[in-house]
Amino acid sequence: MELLTVIKKFNTKVECVKYLEKLKWNNVPECPYCGDQKSSPKQNRYTCLKCNRSYSVTVGTMFHSSKVPLPIWFLAISLILSAKKGISSRQLSRHLSVDKDTAWFIQKRIRKAMIEKDSVLEGVVEADECFIGGKKKNRYFKKRQKDPTRRMTGYSEKIPVLGMFQRSGKIITRVLNHAWGKEIIPIMKNWISAKSTIVTDGFGGYYYCSEHFQSHQVINHSKYNHRYDQYHMNNIEGFWSMFKRSLIGQYHKVSNIYLQDYLNEMAYKFNYRKSTDMGFKTLMHNMLL
Ligand SMILES: [Zn+2]
């Protein structure tokens, strides 16, 4: 949904509640405590006629127990979704006129609703790893380049990340402890159907892919032809370069703990890039779970 539409449409609590009630209940309120659908309404709230408890559409959801007004949540979601390269919590705090702790709290909850839960990738799936590291570590890496063992020492300073992209489908990413097969293969098996064709580069971590998936196509970067080969890794490589640019632009240093959160956010936006309305609706739906 366009930012301007959200600003115009959801500028009052009543409008936001109306949208959420339709999304969660299809307009038939249901008591979150006993599940009964008979209630008496009073100012955005309902009293259950069975258990006599009072509730609203946001009880027990990510919107609940925060002092942040609903129109601010809607605006925050829209801002985060429309920032292609991400938005820092400082920027978010300025746009929403809230303090930076509140902005950080909002951002954290919204990112939690962006976590991919039960997707299974199938068909042609590109898998690739990428190494993320802070500026200091990059300098260290460059300094180490003269060292013949630099590949090991340099990369061990960076955080490895695995990406899995289904052709014309979703991307799923996972931060790794180590970029090696015994960690990579179980993650791939968890997210990718065994009937899939896996496309990877020649990195040893993917060596046993052919034992777990229907087929394994190994791309030789120095030889393969971008234009004519049906098996390529252009999509996943495109995602990595976008992700790295967003890290440079928005998040000046990467914290190990939050890297997966950043990745989830960028992957979510990437997955809904062709349908921003669906991205907005799905996120709202996840916030209500
Ligand atoms: Zn009840």
Side-chain angles (χ1 to χ4, degrees):
M1 199 174 287
E2 297 293 325
L3 184 56
L4 197 61
T5 314
V6 172
I7 294 170
K8 280 184 185 166
K9 206 170 163 186
F10 301 111
N11 55 1
T12 64
K13 185 183 174 183
V14 175
E15 288 304 321
C16 298
V17 166
K18 238 202 271 178
Y19 177 87
L20 296 176
E21 287 186 352
K22 171 96 171 90
L23 196 62
K24 188 175 186 180
W25 294 325
N26 203 13
N27 294 333
V28 183
E30 189 183 295
C31 173
Y33 306 106
C34 74
D36 201 76
Q37 292 186 328
K38 290 188 188 73
S39 62
S40 74
K42 193 185 175 188
Q43 285 177 344
N44 299 321
R45 292 191 73 82
Y46 300 87
T47 303
C48 175
L49 297 182
K50 194 178 173 192
C51 72
N52 212 23
R53 296 178 77 168
S54 160
Y55 62 91
S56 73
V57 70
T58 56
V59 165
T61 72
M62 286 200 207
F63 297 112
H64 192 50
S65 73
S66 86
K67 285 175 188 138
V68 181
L70 280 176
I72 298 293
W73 277 109
F74 275 58
L75 185 56
I77 286 168
S78 188
L79 278 167
I80 287 174
L81 285 176
S82 61
K84 280 206 176 63
K85 290 183 188 174
I87 182 166
S88 68
S89 54
R90 262 172 203 283
Q91 250 178 306
L92 198 62
S93 104
R94 284 194 293 269
H95 284 312
L96 301 175
S97 305
V98 297
D99 63 67
K100 68 175 181 5
D101 290 345
T102 307
W104 188 82
F105 166 82
I106 290 173
Q107 192 175 40
K108 206 167 168 244
R109 287 208 166 179
I110 293 172
R111 281 192 181 136
K112 209 175 162 197
M114 289 174 156
I115 298 173
E116 199 60 56
K117 283 187 187 123
D118 32 38
S119 287
V120 176
L121 307 182
E122 55 193 10
V124 177
V125 180
E126 299 172 21
D128 192 22
E129 75 293 337
C130 147
F131 293 84
I132 306 289
K135 284 176 181 172
K136 245 185 194 170
K137 287 170 186 169
N138 280 335
R139 276 205 298 276
Y140 173 74
F141 173 63
K142 277 177 190 161
K143 232 170 75 180
R144 297 291 301 207
Q145 274 184 326
K146 284 174 192 155
D147 186 333
T149 61
R150 70 180 193 275
R151 281 185 72 84
M152 293 311 295
T153 50
Y155 280 118
S156 68
E157 285 296 301
K158 290 168 170 267
I159 306 164
V161 179
L162 175 69
M164 298 159 280
F165 175 83
Q166 177 188 322
R167 201 64 61 79
S168 29
K170 284 183 175 177
I171 189 163
I172 290 169
T173 60
R174 277 292 166 275
V175 172
L176 302 169
N177 290 314
H178 300 283
W180 56 28
K182 59 182 175 184
E183 193 175 340
I184 289 173
I185 300 288
I187 296 174
M188 289 177 71
K189 282 171 72 180
N190 192 36
W191 290 101
I192 307 171
S193 151
K195 291 173 187 160
S196 306
T197 295
I198 309 296
V199 186
T200 71
D201 58 19
F203 177 61
Y206 306 109
Y207 189 76
Y208 292 105
C209 272
S210 56
E211 289 183 11
H212 303 282
F213 300 98
Q214 190 159 302
S215 92
H216 180 205
Q217 301 290 330
V218 180
I219 304 297
N220 182 336
H221 276 285
S222 60
K223 284 183 190 159
Y224 89 97
N225 187 319
H226 284 262
R227 283 174 64 190
Y228 301 113
D229 199 328
Q230 62 161 316
Y231 297 119
H232 58 77
M233 294 169 62
N234 298 354
N235 299 299
I236 190 109
E237 284 168 0
F239 178 80
W240 290 143
S241 60
M242 183 193 73
F243 182 70
K244 284 180 174 174
R245 281 198 307 272
S246 86
L247 281 176
I248 297 163
Q250 299 297 336
Y251 311 109
H252 299 291
K253 57 175 195 263
V254 192
S255 151
N256 209 335
I257 310 159
Y258 301 118
L259 182 59
Q260 186 65 58
D261 288 349
Y262 295 150
L263 280 159
N264 291 342
E265 180 186 335
M266 298 311 281
Y268 186 90
K269 286 190 267 196
F270 184 82
N271 292 339
Y272 288 97
R273 68 199 178 283
K274 285 175 186 155
S275 174
T276 50
D277 279 3
M278 190 50 84
F280 183 84
K281 199 174 165 182
T282 306
L283 186 52
M284 282 293 178
H285 177 262
N286 295 348
M287 295 283 294
L288 287 168
L289 292 176

